[in-house]
Amino acid sequence: MIFDKLETQRNSKGTQVLALIDPDVKNDNIFPQIIDTVNKSNFDGLLVGGSRIVDDNFNKRLLFIKENTDLPIILFPGDSSQISDNAEAILFLSLLSGRNPKYLIEEQVISARRINDLNIEVIPTGYLLLKTEKKSAVELISNTTPLDMNNTNNVIDHCLAAQYMGNKLLFLECGSNSDSSVELSLLKQIKNKITIPLMVGGGIKNKEMALNLAEAGASYLVIGSLIEQTLDFNITLDINQSVRGLYVS
Ligand code: 1GP
């Protein structure tokens, strides 16, 4: 089981870093380079998904990724159309920061039987969108309001609710290519209250940010835009190696 494997790895190797590939047409001309960069960067796993995939080639691109990497592939679906057994597991997301029933239960019901039929490992994940200066694609597409990071109690209440609902993972999302990530003092406070692993993504651009987030309590880091924008494995390899052996209990 992939999640158990990642958790075991986390216990032995420290903070895990996952690459994110957006299998959208916008990346078609650099797709092989993205995969090559990911493969050379010593990532621990690979998320595949996007909030807006404008054509029907999701599965074709996913298959291409699968054929060209040895990393475990976990779906990070923008909606119920992004489900395939060309991945080993799926983050079964509930957008708990929002109040839109489509992303709280409707997409989940639409996708449940297909996931069951395909026998994909399910990783129940509470997904919280946090407010940053730039409006994220998730905010626009989901038509939900992100949580204000200054309202610490409200964010922590959402985290606790996500944990009590039985989620195995809590994903703190600042949105793809955001200008900032989760505030470190907030992350530390969440870490003090929450026992399930914290995944942090959105706007991780350098080693300092990655290290700070890992030290503040992120069990998993997700890096997407930086890979697409630089296509330079030296940068991502450096980040990934910097958090190796970093344990935050
Ligand atoms: C987006 O959290 C992920 O859903 C990754 O964000 O693209 O900014 O790395 P970046």
Side-chain angles (χ1 to χ4, degrees):
M1 300 292 271
I2 291 301
F3 184 66
D4 289 346
K5 199 176 142 206
L6 286 172
E7 282 293 275
T8 305
Q9 267 179 201
R10 188 162 75 83
N11 286 329
S12 62
K13 287 165 68 181
T15 306
Q16 299 285 286
V17 193
L18 307 181
L20 170 63
I21 297 183
D22 182 357
D24 188 26
V25 65
K26 75 176 167 64
N27 284 330
D28 264 0
N29 60 343
I30 53 167
F31 218 55
Q33 291 156 275
I34 292 177
I35 298 168
D36 187 54
T37 307
V38 168
N39 285 338
K40 290 176 176 163
S41 300
N42 199 15
F43 280 103
D44 299 293
L46 176 54
L47 298 180
V48 178
S51 37
R52 57 178 139 216
I53 294 174
V54 298
D55 63 14
D56 294 330
N57 290 328
F58 169 78
N59 210 31
K60 196 175 122 198
R61 295 191 188 98
L62 180 62
L63 185 60
F64 184 79
I65 296 170
K66 185 183 171 186
E67 285 168 348
N68 288 284
T69 189
D70 293 328
L71 287 171
I73 298 175
I74 302 167
L75 298 174
F76 175 40
D79 60 39
S80 53
S81 69
Q82 295 174 35
I83 291 168
S84 165
D85 58 357
N86 285 318
E88 289 161 70
I90 180 168
L91 297 185
F92 198 69
L93 303 165
S94 318
L95 182 57
L96 297 175
S97 52
R99 298 295 181 269
N100 184 346
K102 179 173 164 66
Y103 297 99
L104 285 167
I105 183 63
E106 291 173 8
E107 289 294 295
Q108 291 81 348
V109 171
I110 291 168
S111 60
R113 187 177 296 270
R114 184 159 160 75
I115 291 170
N116 187 260
D117 287 347
L118 295 177
N119 201 20
I120 310 166
E121 178 185 336
V122 169
I123 306 171
T125 304
Y127 190 48
L128 299 186
L129 181 62
L130 303 174
K131 190 171 172 51
T132 59
E133 270 190 26
K134 205 167 76 179
K135 263 200 179 189
S136 66
V138 179
E139 178 178 354
L140 291 168
I141 289 165
S142 68
N143 196 21
T144 62
T145 308
L147 301 179
D148 180 352
M149 285 197 254
N150 295 317
N151 193 343
T152 308
N153 284 340
N154 186 45
V155 176
I156 291 177
D157 291 347
H158 279 77
C159 294
L160 285 169
Q163 177 170 297
Y164 295 156
M165 289 166 94
N167 287 294
K168 284 189 176 177
L169 193 62
L170 187 60
F171 194 140
L172 302 169
E173 172 71 86
C174 287
S176 184
N177 204 23
S178 71
D179 296 327
S180 54
S181 188
V182 183
E183 283 167 18
L184 298 176
S185 61
L186 175 66
L187 185 55
K188 282 179 194 159
Q189 291 181 74
I190 295 171
K191 180 68 186 168
N192 280 337
K193 286 275 188 203
I194 298 296
T195 54
I196 57 175
L198 303 177
M199 184 174 272
V200 172
I204 300 176
K205 299 287 188 203
N206 55 52
K207 188 160 80 172
E208 288 68 32
M209 282 181 87
L211 256 177
N212 288 338
L213 290 165
E215 282 172 351
S219 310
Y220 295 88
L221 299 174
V222 178
I223 297 178
S225 306
L226 185 68
I227 302 167
E228 291 174 19
Q229 288 163 0
T230 64
L231 297 173
D232 181 353
F233 74 89
N234 290 300
I235 295 173
T236 28
L237 182 63
D238 193 33
I239 291 177
N240 295 348
Q241 284 177 338
S242 74
V243 298
R244 280 280 167 267
L246 198 69
Y247 301 91
V248 180
S249 57

PDB file of all heavy atoms in Angstrom, residues 173-205:
ATOM      1  N   GLU A 173      -3.260  23.769   1.411  1.00  0.00           N
ATOM      2  CA  GLU A 173      -3.012  24.203   0.026  1.00  0.00           C
ATOM      3  C   GLU A 173      -3.036  25.719  -0.084  1.00  0.00           C
ATOM      4  O   GLU A 173      -4.004  26.373   0.318  1.00  0.00           O
ATOM      5  CB  GLU A 173      -4.112  23.602  -0.866  1.00  0.00           C
ATOM      6  CG  GLU A 173      -4.145  24.078  -2.297  1.00  0.00           C
ATOM      7  CD  GLU A 173      -2.975  23.542  -3.117  1.00  0.00           C
ATOM      8  OE1 GLU A 173      -3.108  22.413  -3.647  1.00  0.00           O
ATOM      9  OE2 GLU A 173      -1.962  24.259  -3.207  1.00  0.00           O
ATOM     10  N   CYS A 174      -1.960  26.278  -0.625  1.00  0.00           N
ATOM     11  CA  CYS A 174      -1.939  27.728  -0.883  1.00  0.00           C
ATOM     12  C   CYS A 174      -2.186  28.055  -2.345  1.00  0.00           C
ATOM     13  O   CYS A 174      -2.201  29.234  -2.721  1.00  0.00           O
ATOM     14  CB  CYS A 174      -0.607  28.322  -0.428  1.00  0.00           C
ATOM     15  SG  CYS A 174      -0.517  28.408   1.363  1.00  0.00           S
ATOM     16  N   GLY A 175      -2.380  27.025  -3.169  1.00  0.00           N
ATOM     17  CA  GLY A 175      -2.667  27.254  -4.583  1.00  0.00           C
ATOM     18  C   GLY A 175      -1.405  27.197  -5.414  1.00  0.00           C
ATOM     19  O   GLY A 175      -0.337  27.662  -5.002  1.00  0.00           O
ATOM     20  N   SER A 176      -1.565  26.649  -6.608  1.00  0.00           N
ATOM     21  CA  SER A 176      -0.420  26.473  -7.479  1.00  0.00           C
ATOM     22  C   SER A 176       0.226  27.807  -7.829  1.00  0.00           C
ATOM     23  O   SER A 176      -0.452  28.773  -8.165  1.00  0.00           O
ATOM     24  CB  SER A 176      -0.897  25.782  -8.760  1.00  0.00           C
ATOM     25  OG  SER A 176       0.199  25.516  -9.563  1.00  0.00           O
ATOM     26  N   ASN A 177       1.542  27.831  -7.722  1.00  0.00           N
ATOM     27  CA  ASN A 177       2.337  29.005  -8.093  1.00  0.00           C
ATOM     28  C   ASN A 177       1.997  30.245  -7.261  1.00  0.00           C
ATOM     29  O   ASN A 177       2.136  31.376  -7.739  1.00  0.00           O
ATOM     30  CB  ASN A 177       2.149  29.306  -9.585  1.00  0.00           C
ATOM     31  CG  ASN A 177       3.316  30.084 -10.151  1.00  0.00           C
ATOM     32  OD1 ASN A 177       4.426  30.036  -9.605  1.00  0.00           O
ATOM     33  ND2 ASN A 177       3.078  30.816 -11.213  1.00  0.00           N
ATOM     34  N   SER A 178       1.567  30.029  -6.032  1.00  0.00           N
ATOM     35  CA  SER A 178       1.240  31.180  -5.184  1.00  0.00           C
ATOM     36  C   SER A 178       2.527  31.895  -4.773  1.00  0.00           C
ATOM     37  O   SER A 178       3.624  31.343  -4.876  1.00  0.00           O
ATOM     38  CB  SER A 178       0.458  30.740  -3.943  1.00  0.00           C
ATOM     39  OG  SER A 178       1.306  30.046  -3.082  1.00  0.00           O
ATOM     40  N   ASP A 179       2.366  33.135  -4.332  1.00  0.00           N
ATOM     41  CA  ASP A 179       3.542  33.934  -3.968  1.00  0.00           C
ATOM     42  C   ASP A 179       4.066  33.594  -2.574  1.00  0.00           C
ATOM     43  O   ASP A 179       5.160  34.016  -2.194  1.00  0.00           O
ATOM     44  CB  ASP A 179       3.198  35.429  -4.015  1.00  0.00           C
ATOM     45  CG  ASP A 179       2.843  35.844  -5.425  1.00  0.00           C
ATOM     46  OD1 ASP A 179       3.430  35.258  -6.355  1.00  0.00           O
ATOM     47  OD2 ASP A 179       1.976  36.710  -5.601  1.00  0.00           O
ATOM     48  N   SER A 180       3.258  32.890  -1.799  1.00  0.00           N
ATOM     49  CA  SER A 180       3.690  32.541  -0.441  1.00  0.00           C
ATOM     50  C   SER A 180       3.118  31.177  -0.088  1.00  0.00           C
ATOM     51  O   SER A 180       2.213  30.680  -0.773  1.00  0.00           O
ATOM     52  CB  SER A 180       3.190  33.591   0.555  1.00  0.00           C
ATOM     53  OG  SER A 180       1.797  33.737   0.420  1.00  0.00           O
ATOM     54  N   SER A 181       3.650  30.612   0.983  1.00  0.00           N
ATOM     55  CA  SER A 181       3.143  29.311   1.414  1.00  0.00           C
ATOM     56  C   SER A 181       2.495  29.452   2.790  1.00  0.00           C
ATOM     57  O   SER A 181       2.199  30.559   3.230  1.00  0.00           O
ATOM     58  CB  SER A 181       4.274  28.293   1.412  1.00  0.00           C
ATOM     59  OG  SER A 181       3.741  27.017   1.639  1.00  0.00           O
ATOM     60  N   VAL A 182       2.290  28.335   3.448  1.00  0.00           N
ATOM     61  CA  VAL A 182       1.635  28.373   4.759  1.00  0.00           C
ATOM     62  C   VAL A 182       2.513  29.143   5.745  1.00  0.00           C
ATOM     63  O   VAL A 182       3.736  28.926   5.790  1.00  0.00           O
ATOM     64  CB  VAL A 182       1.412  26.941   5.297  1.00  0.00           C
ATOM     65  CG1 VAL A 182       0.657  26.984   6.617  1.00  0.00           C
ATOM     66  CG2 VAL A 182       0.670  26.099   4.281  1.00  0.00           C
ATOM     67  N   GLU A 183       1.900  30.041   6.504  1.00  0.00           N
ATOM     68  CA  GLU A 183       2.687  30.797   7.489  1.00  0.00           C
ATOM     69  C   GLU A 183       3.240  29.830   8.531  1.00  0.00           C
ATOM     70  O   GLU A 183       2.524  28.962   9.042  1.00  0.00           O
ATOM     71  CB  GLU A 183       1.803  31.859   8.144  1.00  0.00           C
ATOM     72  CG  GLU A 183       1.608  33.053   7.224  1.00  0.00           C
ATOM     73  CD  GLU A 183       0.515  33.980   7.685  1.00  0.00           C
ATOM     74  OE1 GLU A 183       0.121  33.912   8.869  1.00  0.00           O
ATOM     75  OE2 GLU A 183       0.043  34.761   6.855  1.00  0.00           O
ATOM     76  N   LEU A 184       4.510  30.022   8.840  1.00  0.00           N
ATOM     77  CA  LEU A 184       5.197  29.027   9.667  1.00  0.00           C
ATOM     78  C   LEU A 184       4.625  28.941  11.074  1.00  0.00           C
ATOM     79  O   LEU A 184       4.492  27.853  11.637  1.00  0.00           O
ATOM     80  CB  LEU A 184       6.695  29.337   9.710  1.00  0.00           C
ATOM     81  CG  LEU A 184       7.397  29.292   8.340  1.00  0.00           C
ATOM     82  CD1 LEU A 184       8.851  29.716   8.465  1.00  0.00           C
ATOM     83  CD2 LEU A 184       7.290  27.902   7.718  1.00  0.00           C
ATOM     84  N   SER A 185       4.248  30.115  11.645  1.00  0.00           N
ATOM     85  CA  SER A 185       3.711  30.077  13.013  1.00  0.00           C
ATOM     86  C   SER A 185       2.375  29.323  13.030  1.00  0.00           C
ATOM     87  O   SER A 185       2.088  28.563  13.955  1.00  0.00           O
ATOM     88  CB  SER A 185       3.530  31.498  13.562  1.00  0.00           C
ATOM     89  OG  SER A 185       2.619  32.199  12.752  1.00  0.00           O
ATOM     90  N   LEU A 186       1.584  29.505  11.984  1.00  0.00           N
ATOM     91  CA  LEU A 186       0.310  28.783  11.883  1.00  0.00           C
ATOM     92  C   LEU A 186       0.563  27.278  11.751  1.00  0.00           C
ATOM     93  O   LEU A 186      -0.070  26.458  12.430  1.00  0.00           O
ATOM     94  CB  LEU A 186      -0.488  29.295  10.674  1.00  0.00           C
ATOM     95  CG  LEU A 186      -1.795  28.553  10.378  1.00  0.00           C
ATOM     96  CD1 LEU A 186      -2.811  28.757  11.504  1.00  0.00           C
ATOM     97  CD2 LEU A 186      -2.399  29.008   9.050  1.00  0.00           C
ATOM     98  N   LEU A 187       1.506  26.941  10.890  1.00  0.00           N
ATOM     99  CA  LEU A 187       1.809  25.524  10.665  1.00  0.00           C
ATOM    100  C   LEU A 187       2.257  24.853  11.966  1.00  0.00           C
ATOM    101  O   LEU A 187       1.847  23.729  12.284  1.00  0.00           O
ATOM    102  CB  LEU A 187       2.888  25.409   9.577  1.00  0.00           C
ATOM    103  CG  LEU A 187       3.255  24.011   9.114  1.00  0.00           C
ATOM    104  CD1 LEU A 187       2.042  23.219   8.638  1.00  0.00           C
ATOM    105  CD2 LEU A 187       4.304  24.081   7.996  1.00  0.00           C
ATOM    106  N   LYS A 188       3.073  25.573  12.738  1.00  0.00           N
ATOM    107  CA  LYS A 188       3.535  25.009  14.022  1.00  0.00           C
ATOM    108  C   LYS A 188       2.352  24.775  14.958  1.00  0.00           C
ATOM    109  O   LYS A 188       2.289  23.753  15.657  1.00  0.00           O
ATOM    110  CB  LYS A 188       4.535  25.963  14.681  1.00  0.00           C
ATOM    111  CG  LYS A 188       5.912  25.897  14.073  1.00  0.00           C
ATOM    112  CD  LYS A 188       6.860  26.882  14.746  1.00  0.00           C
ATOM    113  CE  LYS A 188       8.120  27.056  13.901  1.00  0.00           C
ATOM    114  NZ  LYS A 188       8.858  28.278  14.160  1.00  0.00           N
ATOM    115  N   GLN A 189       1.424  25.718  14.966  1.00  0.00           N
ATOM    116  CA  GLN A 189       0.263  25.562  15.857  1.00  0.00           C
ATOM    117  C   GLN A 189      -0.626  24.404  15.401  1.00  0.00           C
ATOM    118  O   GLN A 189      -1.166  23.663  16.223  1.00  0.00           O
ATOM    119  CB  GLN A 189      -0.537  26.867  15.907  1.00  0.00           C
ATOM    120  CG  GLN A 189       0.222  27.969  16.634  1.00  0.00           C
ATOM    121  CD  GLN A 189      -0.596  29.251  16.697  1.00  0.00           C
ATOM    122  OE1 GLN A 189      -1.546  29.335  17.457  1.00  0.00           O
ATOM    123  NE2 GLN A 189      -0.228  30.235  15.901  1.00  0.00           N
ATOM    124  N   ILE A 190      -0.776  24.259  14.091  1.00  0.00           N
ATOM    125  CA  ILE A 190      -1.562  23.129  13.573  1.00  0.00           C
ATOM    126  C   ILE A 190      -0.874  21.823  13.976  1.00  0.00           C
ATOM    127  O   ILE A 190      -1.510  20.884  14.468  1.00  0.00           O
ATOM    128  CB  ILE A 190      -1.708  23.217  12.029  1.00  0.00           C
ATOM    129  CG1 ILE A 190      -2.525  24.447  11.637  1.00  0.00           C
ATOM    130  CG2 ILE A 190      -2.351  21.948  11.480  1.00  0.00           C
ATOM    131  CD1 ILE A 190      -2.533  24.735  10.143  1.00  0.00           C
ATOM    132  N   LYS A 191       0.430  21.789  13.769  1.00  0.00           N
ATOM    133  CA  LYS A 191       1.197  20.576  14.081  1.00  0.00           C
ATOM    134  C   LYS A 191       1.041  20.178  15.558  1.00  0.00           C
ATOM    135  O   LYS A 191       0.985  18.993  15.891  1.00  0.00           O
ATOM    136  CB  LYS A 191       2.677  20.834  13.737  1.00  0.00           C
ATOM    137  CG  LYS A 191       3.595  19.690  14.006  1.00  0.00           C
ATOM    138  CD  LYS A 191       3.322  18.530  13.069  1.00  0.00           C
ATOM    139  CE  LYS A 191       4.147  17.315  13.441  1.00  0.00           C
ATOM    140  NZ  LYS A 191       3.681  16.125  12.720  1.00  0.00           N
ATOM    141  N   ASN A 192       0.939  21.185  16.430  1.00  0.00           N
ATOM    142  CA  ASN A 192       0.779  20.903  17.861  1.00  0.00           C
ATOM    143  C   ASN A 192      -0.565  20.274  18.195  1.00  0.00           C
ATOM    144  O   ASN A 192      -0.718  19.622  19.215  1.00  0.00           O
ATOM    145  CB  ASN A 192       0.919  22.190  18.676  1.00  0.00           C
ATOM    146  CG  ASN A 192       2.368  22.554  18.864  1.00  0.00           C
ATOM    147  OD1 ASN A 192       3.235  21.684  18.787  1.00  0.00           O
ATOM    148  ND2 ASN A 192       2.637  23.833  19.073  1.00  0.00           N
ATOM    149  N   LYS A 193      -1.565  20.498  17.340  1.00  0.00           N
ATOM    150  CA  LYS A 193      -2.921  20.025  17.642  1.00  0.00           C
ATOM    151  C   LYS A 193      -3.296  18.750  16.896  1.00  0.00           C
ATOM    152  O   LYS A 193      -4.195  18.021  17.304  1.00  0.00           O
ATOM    153  CB  LYS A 193      -3.941  21.105  17.222  1.00  0.00           C
ATOM    154  CG  LYS A 193      -3.998  22.308  18.138  1.00  0.00           C
ATOM    155  CD  LYS A 193      -4.923  22.027  19.317  1.00  0.00           C
ATOM    156  CE  LYS A 193      -5.131  23.276  20.132  1.00  0.00           C
ATOM    157  NZ  LYS A 193      -5.523  22.978  21.505  1.00  0.00           N
ATOM    158  N   ILE A 194      -2.656  18.540  15.757  1.00  0.00           N
ATOM    159  CA  ILE A 194      -3.115  17.514  14.821  1.00  0.00           C
ATOM    160  C   ILE A 194      -2.159  16.334  14.821  1.00  0.00           C
ATOM    161  O   ILE A 194      -0.935  16.519  14.818  1.00  0.00           O
ATOM    162  CB  ILE A 194      -3.197  18.134  13.390  1.00  0.00           C
ATOM    163  CG1 ILE A 194      -4.223  19.273  13.356  1.00  0.00           C
ATOM    164  CG2 ILE A 194      -3.515  17.103  12.334  1.00  0.00           C
ATOM    165  CD1 ILE A 194      -5.643  18.863  13.625  1.00  0.00           C
ATOM    166  N   THR A 195      -2.723  15.125  14.808  1.00  0.00           N
ATOM    167  CA  THR A 195      -1.844  13.958  14.834  1.00  0.00           C
ATOM    168  C   THR A 195      -1.679  13.311  13.456  1.00  0.00           C
ATOM    169  O   THR A 195      -0.726  12.563  13.242  1.00  0.00           O
ATOM    170  CB  THR A 195      -2.384  12.905  15.821  1.00  0.00           C
ATOM    171  OG1 THR A 195      -3.742  12.620  15.467  1.00  0.00           O
ATOM    172  CG2 THR A 195      -2.320  13.420  17.247  1.00  0.00           C
ATOM    173  N   ILE A 196      -2.606  13.587  12.513  1.00  0.00           N
ATOM    174  CA  ILE A 196      -2.426  12.996  11.180  1.00  0.00           C
ATOM    175  C   ILE A 196      -1.352  13.797  10.422  1.00  0.00           C
ATOM    176  O   ILE A 196      -1.111  14.970  10.731  1.00  0.00           O
ATOM    177  CB  ILE A 196      -3.759  12.937  10.370  1.00  0.00           C
ATOM    178  CG1 ILE A 196      -4.397  14.328  10.233  1.00  0.00           C
ATOM    179  CG2 ILE A 196      -4.718  11.944  10.976  1.00  0.00           C
ATOM    180  CD1 ILE A 196      -5.643  14.349   9.341  1.00  0.00           C
ATOM    181  N   PRO A 197      -0.718  13.166   9.432  1.00  0.00           N
ATOM    182  CA  PRO A 197       0.353  13.860   8.706  1.00  0.00           C
ATOM    183  C   PRO A 197      -0.160  15.083   7.947  1.00  0.00           C
ATOM    184  O   PRO A 197      -1.283  15.085   7.433  1.00  0.00           O
ATOM    185  CB  PRO A 197       0.860  12.798   7.721  1.00  0.00           C
ATOM    186  CG  PRO A 197       0.310  11.509   8.165  1.00  0.00           C
ATOM    187  CD  PRO A 197      -0.896  11.777   8.991  1.00  0.00           C
ATOM    188  N   LEU A 198       0.686  16.104   7.895  1.00  0.00           N
ATOM    189  CA  LEU A 198       0.354  17.348   7.201  1.00  0.00           C
ATOM    190  C   LEU A 198       1.081  17.396   5.868  1.00  0.00           C
ATOM    191  O   LEU A 198       2.310  17.255   5.819  1.00  0.00           O
ATOM    192  CB  LEU A 198       0.773  18.556   8.047  1.00  0.00           C
ATOM    193  CG  LEU A 198       0.181  18.648   9.457  1.00  0.00           C
ATOM    194  CD1 LEU A 198       0.762  19.857  10.194  1.00  0.00           C
ATOM    195  CD2 LEU A 198      -1.331  18.740   9.399  1.00  0.00           C
ATOM    196  N   MET A 199       0.311  17.597   4.814  1.00  0.00           N
ATOM    197  CA  MET A 199       0.901  17.793   3.487  1.00  0.00           C
ATOM    198  C   MET A 199       0.773  19.267   3.155  1.00  0.00           C
ATOM    199  O   MET A 199      -0.288  19.853   3.350  1.00  0.00           O
ATOM    200  CB  MET A 199       0.133  16.929   2.477  1.00  0.00           C
ATOM    201  CG  MET A 199       0.682  16.941   1.073  1.00  0.00           C
ATOM    202  SD  MET A 199      -0.202  15.753   0.008  1.00  0.00           S
ATOM    203  CE  MET A 199       0.719  14.258   0.276  1.00  0.00           C
ATOM    204  N   VAL A 200       1.852  19.872   2.690  1.00  0.00           N
ATOM    205  CA  VAL A 200       1.832  21.306   2.401  1.00  0.00           C
ATOM    206  C   VAL A 200       2.215  21.538   0.946  1.00  0.00           C
ATOM    207  O   VAL A 200       3.214  20.998   0.462  1.00  0.00           O
ATOM    208  CB  VAL A 200       2.821  22.051   3.330  1.00  0.00           C
ATOM    209  CG1 VAL A 200       2.964  23.511   2.905  1.00  0.00           C
ATOM    210  CG2 VAL A 200       2.348  21.974   4.787  1.00  0.00           C
ATOM    211  N   GLY A 201       1.410  22.318   0.243  1.00  0.00           N
ATOM    212  CA  GLY A 201       1.723  22.606  -1.155  1.00  0.00           C
ATOM    213  C   GLY A 201       1.288  23.996  -1.554  1.00  0.00           C
ATOM    214  O   GLY A 201       0.464  24.628  -0.892  1.00  0.00           O
ATOM    215  N   GLY A 202       1.874  24.449  -2.643  1.00  0.00           N
ATOM    216  CA  GLY A 202       1.533  25.768  -3.178  1.00  0.00           C
ATOM    217  C   GLY A 202       2.628  26.761  -2.894  1.00  0.00           C
ATOM    218  O   GLY A 202       2.840  27.146  -1.753  1.00  0.00           O
ATOM    219  N   GLY A 203       3.354  27.153  -3.939  1.00  0.00           N
ATOM    220  CA  GLY A 203       4.323  28.238  -3.819  1.00  0.00           C
ATOM    221  C   GLY A 203       5.662  27.878  -3.222  1.00  0.00           C
ATOM    222  O   GLY A 203       6.416  28.772  -2.850  1.00  0.00           O
ATOM    223  N   ILE A 204       5.995  26.584  -3.147  1.00  0.00           N
ATOM    224  CA  ILE A 204       7.333  26.236  -2.635  1.00  0.00           C
ATOM    225  C   ILE A 204       8.336  26.455  -3.766  1.00  0.00           C
ATOM    226  O   ILE A 204       8.293  25.782  -4.799  1.00  0.00           O
ATOM    227  CB  ILE A 204       7.372  24.782  -2.116  1.00  0.00           C
ATOM    228  CG1 ILE A 204       6.367  24.618  -0.979  1.00  0.00           C
ATOM    229  CG2 ILE A 204       8.798  24.427  -1.652  1.00  0.00           C
ATOM    230  CD1 ILE A 204       6.240  23.198  -0.448  1.00  0.00           C
ATOM    231  N   LYS A 205       9.230  27.414  -3.564  1.00  0.00           N
ATOM    232  CA  LYS A 205      10.094  27.869  -4.662  1.00  0.00           C
ATOM    233  C   LYS A 205      11.579  27.681  -4.414  1.00  0.00           C
ATOM    234  O   LYS A 205      12.383  27.886  -5.304  1.00  0.00           O
ATOM    235  CB  LYS A 205       9.868  29.368  -4.919  1.00  0.00           C
ATOM    236  CG  LYS A 205       8.462  29.732  -5.329  1.00  0.00           C
ATOM    237  CD  LYS A 205       8.169  29.295  -6.742  1.00  0.00           C
ATOM    238  CE  LYS A 205       6.833  29.849  -7.211  1.00  0.00           C
ATOM    239  NZ  LYS A 205       6.259  29.087  -8.281  1.00  0.00           N
TER     240      LYS A 205
END
